[in-house]
Amino acid sequence: MKIKYTFLLVFSVALFTQCAKQSTPQGGPRDEDPPKLLEANPKDQSINIKPEEIVLVFDEYIKLDNPNKNIIITPRVKKDEVVTTALKNTVTIELNQELEDNTTYVFNFQKSVQDLSEGNPAENLKIVFSTGSSIDSLELSGQVNFYFPDKQSDFKNVLVGLYPENDTTDLFTAAPYYISQVDSTGQFKISNIKNGNYRAYAWNDANNSLKAEFKSEAHDFLKDTITIEENIEGAIFNLSQADLTPIRLLRSSFTNGSYDLILNKNAVDIKLENESLGKSIFYTKEDKRIRLFSDKSIPDSLAFKVKLIDSVGYQIDTLIYVKFPVNERKPEELTVTANSGKNFTGTMEAILSFNKPITKIHTDSLYIPLDSVRSIKIGPEMYYFEDSSMRNVLRLKVSIPDSTQSDVVTLTVADSTFQDIQLQYNLKELKANYRKIRPETLADLLAGRINNAEPPFVVQLLDNKDELKAEKKLIDTNNFRFERIEAGTYKIRVIEDRNGNGRWDPGNFFENKQAERIFYFKNPENSSTDIIIRGGWTNDGIIIEPSKPTGISQKKPVDNPSEDGG
C-alpha cells in the first residue's frame, strides 16, 4: 500500500511538472533588456593569439539574426568557411582557417545576437584581438550620401570598404579587407586599421554579396590611394548608379521594313552619317535598338558611319553597310501617343510621339474644338519635328484665345491624319486634353544664385513627385531664374556639368572618373529641400550651397604638446 501511494505521488508530481512546462505564463512585464555578455574566449583586446573559434556566453538564451550578413569581420576572412551557431546562451564561431600574422581582427556583431523571447539585440557587441603583440587602432570615418535620394534615404545595405594598395581585387570582384556598415544617417567608422596605403569605396550592397554589382548597385570611390597613418575624419562618398558594361553592337539586319541595329544597352549620343539621312532615310531609337527606314527599296549596300556613346563614355565608332530590300511582309501599324494632361497659360504645347518616321500630315483632321461652332485648325506654322533625321516626335505650339470658356482644351487627331514612311496611316482617333490655368495663380519668379562652385551648371526644378518641371543650363553664370511657375511644392537640383554637355554624367570606375556632382537647395533653418510656391509670389533670394564632393574633407588633428612643454 505504501509503495502504491509513493508511486501515485511521484506520478502526480511528474504530471504536474510536465503540464507546467507546456503552459505559458500569462501577464507580467515584457522583457526589454538586451542580452549581456558574461564571457568571451578569446577576451576582448587579447594579443598574441590565433584562435580557431570564438565563443561568447550570455546571461540568457539567445538567437542569431542573419549572421552571415550582420556579423562584420575585419580584416577580410574566407567567410564561406566560417560557421556560426547559437545554442542556448552561447554563440560559437568556427573560423576553419589560418589567421594572418601580426594582424588585428575585429568581430562586430551589430544587431545579430538577440534574446530568444523578444528579439532585443545585444548592444555594442564587438570583440577585438591581435595575432601579434599590439592592437591596431587607426580609424577612418565619414559620411555617405545619395546623389538621387529617395524620399527617405535607406542606408541599411550601404557598406564602406578598404582594400590594400597592392590588392588585386576591388569592390566589384571581392569583399574588402576592412569593412563597415553605414548607420541610419549615412555615417560610418572603420576602426582598428593597420598603418598603410588603401583604396576606399562605398556601395549599396542590395544583394548582400559584400561586393558591388557594376550594372545595378549605386557606388562611389576615392580617386586616389589614401595613406592611413593617423585617424582620418571627413571621408565623403556620394553614391550613384552606372552601368559600366561597354556598349556593343550585338547584330544588325533588315526586319519587316527597317534595318535594325541591336545594342546591349542604350546610347545617349547617336551620330549617323549618310548623304540620304534626313532626306529619304530616317531613323528612330527604341530600347537598345536603332531602326533605319527608307522611303524606297535599295538593293545595293549603303555605307553608314555609326558613332554611339553610352552614359559612362564608352563608344562604338564603326562603318556598317545597310540594304533595304523589297518588304514582303505587312508593315506594323502606325501608333501615336501624346503628353496629355499638361497645363498651360496662353500657349498650349503638345508633344506627339510615333513609332515610325512621319512623311505626311493631313492638317484638315488635326484641330482643337473650342465649342460647338469654333475650332482651331493646326497649320504647318504651329508644329515642327524635334529632329529632322528622325521625324518621330512632333511638337505643337498653339495659342488659345482668352475668350475660350472651358479650362480644358482637346487636341484632336482623326484617323488617317498621319502617314509614315511605310505608307501606313494611324488607324485610331486620338484625343489629348490640356488644362488652361489662370495667370494669376502662377508664381511670378523663382530665382537665386549658386555659391562656391563654378559653371557650367544644369539647374532643374522638380515637383513633389521628383518629376522634372523646368530646366535651365547656365554656361558662364551662377545666377538662375524660373518664371511663371505653377503653385506647388518644389525642389531645386543642380548638376555640376563639368564637360558642358547639358546632362548628368555618371562615374566610370574603370577609367577612374567620378560622377558629376549633384546637390540640392536646402533651407538653412531646417535643412528641408522643399520650396513652397504660391500664386503671385516672387522669390529671388534662393542661395544654393553645394554639398561636399567625394574625397577627404579633413583629417583629425594629431595631439601636440603645449608650447610650454607641459
Side-chain angles (χ1 to χ4, degrees):
M1 184 73 180
K2 185 175 181 182
I3 294 174
K4 186 175 182 180
Y5 174 81
T6 303
F7 171 77
L8 289 174
L9 180 62
V10 171
F11 176 78
S12 300
V13 172
L15 180 64
F16 175 79
T17 304
Q18 186 177 20
C19 292
K21 285 182 179 179
Q22 292 178 345
S23 65
T24 302
Q26 300 296 315
R30 179 178 177 179
D31 179 13
E32 296 183 354
D33 294 328
K36 294 181 180 178
L37 182 66
L38 299 179
E39 182 182 342
N41 186 19
K43 294 182 179 180
D44 186 39
Q45 304 298 313
S46 296
I47 59 174
N48 294 318
I49 57 169
K50 276 192 177 182
E52 294 181 354
E53 64 179 14
I54 312 294
V55 179
L56 307 180
V57 180
F58 296 87
D59 66 342
E60 59 180 316
Y61 282 14
I62 49 86
K63 62 183 178 180
L64 291 172
D65 178 27
N66 196 358
N68 285 338
K69 174 188 175 185
N70 292 330
I71 300 177
I72 294 180
I73 305 172
T74 58
R76 179 173 58 214
V77 297
K78 298 174 183 176
K79 205 159 186 181
D80 56 344
E81 298 183 10
V82 175
V83 178
T84 305
T85 57
L87 180 62
K88 296 183 179 180
N89 66 333
T90 302
V91 172
T92 303
I93 302 177
E94 299 175 46
L95 298 176
N96 298 315
Q97 58 196 285
E98 182 77 13
L99 299 182
E100 296 181 24
D101 295 332
N102 299 314
T103 300
T104 298
Y105 284 89
V106 179
F107 286 70
N108 190 334
F109 292 83
Q110 300 190 98
K111 297 181 179 181
S112 61
V113 179
Q114 304 174 355
D115 67 34
L116 189 60
S117 58
E118 298 293 341
N120 299 312
E123 297 176 347
N124 303 317
L125 182 58
K126 185 168 70 171
I127 300 296
V128 180
F129 63 86
S130 176
T131 60
S133 59
S134 62
I135 299 287
D136 295 322
S137 59
L138 295 175
E139 295 179 350
L140 173 72
S141 61
Q143 175 75 36
V144 178
N145 307 299
F146 286 95
Y147 272 153
F148 298 95
D150 295 326
K151 293 291 184 182
Q152 296 292 330
S153 292
D154 187 355
F155 293 98
K156 69 179 181 181
N157 293 318
V158 177
L159 303 176
V160 178
L162 292 176
Y163 294 73
E165 181 183 29
N166 59 356
D167 197 333
T168 58
T169 64
D170 56 48
L171 78 164
F172 296 121
T173 56
Y177 193 73
Y178 292 105
I179 193 170
S180 172
Q181 177 79 47
V182 173
D183 70 17
S184 60
T185 64
Q187 297 186 30
F188 72 91
K189 178 187 287 186
I190 303 177
S191 58
N192 300 100
I193 303 171
K194 182 184 295 186
N195 186 318
N197 298 324
Y198 298 93
R199 291 171 292 124
Y201 311 98
W203 67 96
N204 187 30
D205 188 29
N207 64 357
N208 300 322
S209 65
L210 297 183
K211 59 182 181 178
E213 304 297 328
F214 63 79
K215 286 186 178 181
S216 58
E217 291 180 341
H219 59 274
D220 195 16
F221 58 94
L222 302 189
K223 291 181 66 175
D224 300 317
T225 299
I226 58 174
T227 299
I228 301 181
E229 54 191 8
E230 61 181 353
N231 291 347
I232 297 178
E233 294 180 339
I236 304 295
F237 295 93
N238 296 291
L239 303 187
S240 60
Q241 197 165 310
D243 182 354
L244 299 179
T245 308
I247 189 169
R248 290 184 290 114
L249 178 59
L250 300 179
R251 64 183 183 276
S252 60
S253 62
F254 182 81
T255 307
N256 196 22
S258 65
Y259 193 91
D260 296 353
L261 310 181
I262 309 301
L263 309 170
N264 67 321
K265 62 189 296 191
N266 288 322
V268 296
D269 279 335
I270 299 174
K271 293 182 180 179
L272 306 176
E273 292 185 21
N274 181 277
E275 61 181 11
S276 298
L277 190 66
K279 300 173 184 176
S280 59
I281 297 177
F282 305 90
Y283 77 96
T284 63
K285 54 183 179 180
E286 301 172 4
D287 184 33
K288 302 178 185 178
R289 181 167 71 157
I290 299 170
R291 305 179 67 192
L292 291 163
F293 294 86
S294 175
D295 62 3
K296 59 183 178 295
S297 62
I298 304 175
D300 298 327
S301 296
L302 294 178
F304 271 78
K305 289 183 179 180
V306 178
K307 186 174 183 179
L308 310 174
I309 303 176
D310 65 17
S311 61
V312 295
Y314 292 129
Q315 66 180 40
I316 298 170
D317 196 347
T318 188
L319 188 68
I320 64 171
Y321 291 91
V322 177
K323 286 185 179 181
F324 294 96
V326 176
N327 186 29
E328 301 293 344
R329 298 170 57 186
K330 181 181 178 180
E332 65 180 294
E333 180 182 335
L334 174 64
T335 61
V336 54
T337 57
N339 64 332
S340 183
K342 299 297 182 180
N343 297 339
F344 69 96
T345 50
T347 301
M348 184 202 77
E349 297 189 17
I351 300 175
L352 300 180
S353 300
F354 307 88
N355 63 325
K356 291 184 284 183
I358 298 302
T359 55
K360 289 184 180 179
I361 301 175
H362 299 288
T363 56
D364 290 344
S365 52
L366 183 62
Y367 59 96
I368 298 173
L370 299 179
D371 51 41
S372 58
V373 178
R374 299 180 303 153
S375 65
I376 299 176
K377 295 290 185 182
I378 308 297
E381 73 281 359
M382 301 178 186
Y383 61 75
Y384 63 94
F385 283 103
E386 191 172 81
D387 189 324
S388 60
S389 295
M390 300 177 70
R391 294 179 68 91
N392 67 333
V393 177
L394 189 69
R395 290 185 172 269
L396 298 85
K397 292 187 176 183
V398 184
S399 296
I400 305 299
D402 293 336
S403 59
T404 303
Q405 296 299 315
S406 175
D407 289 338
V408 177
V409 297
T410 302
L411 174 64
T412 301
V413 179
D415 63 277
S416 302
T417 298
F418 298 102
Q419 184 184 63
D420 69 28
I421 197 167
Q422 295 178 317
L423 305 181
Q424 300 298 299
Y425 290 95
N426 61 299
L427 300 179
K428 299 176 182 178
E429 180 184 58
L430 172 69
K431 291 187 177 182
N433 294 327
Y434 300 85
R435 181 176 296 276
K436 185 178 182 181
I437 57 178
R438 298 188 303 275
E440 60 269 22
T441 66
L442 300 177
D444 293 330
L445 179 66
L446 180 66
R449 177 176 177 80
I450 302 164
N451 277 350
N452 300 312
E454 296 296 325
F457 303 110
V458 178
V459 184
Q460 299 176 325
L461 190 65
L462 310 177
D463 65 13
N464 59 2
K465 296 180 181 178
D466 282 346
E467 293 180 358
L468 181 64
K469 304 300 291 185
E471 183 177 271
K472 300 289 184 181
K473 295 179 174 62
L474 309 183
I475 306 302
D476 53 7
T477 179
N478 288 50
N479 299 315
F480 64 90
R481 57 191 292 123
F482 296 98
E483 299 176 344
R484 314 294 287 166
I485 309 163
E486 291 183 57
T489 301
Y490 295 88
K491 65 177 61 172
I492 299 176
R493 179 168 66 200
V494 179
I495 299 169
E496 198 172 40
D497 187 21
R498 293 194 301 255
N499 60 7
N501 65 359
R503 64 169 183 265
W504 177 73
D505 291 301
N508 188 331
F509 168 79
F510 299 115
E511 295 187 351
N512 203 32
K513 182 181 74 173
Q514 290 175 329
E516 290 181 326
R517 183 165 54 155
I518 291 177
F519 47 91
Y520 298 78
F521 165 76
K522 289 188 177 181
N523 189 317
E525 295 181 359
N526 55 20
S527 295
S528 172
T529 57
D530 289 343
I531 301 174
I532 298 175
I533 297 175
R534 293 186 171 87
W537 279 21
T538 294
N539 187 343
D540 59 0
I542 298 292
I543 301 298
I544 301 178
E545 297 289 349
S547 60
K548 292 180 180 178
T550 296
I552 305 294
S553 63
Q554 66 183 58
K555 286 189 176 182
K556 185 174 182 179
V558 179
D559 293 334
N560 293 317
S562 60
E563 291 183 1
D564 60 6

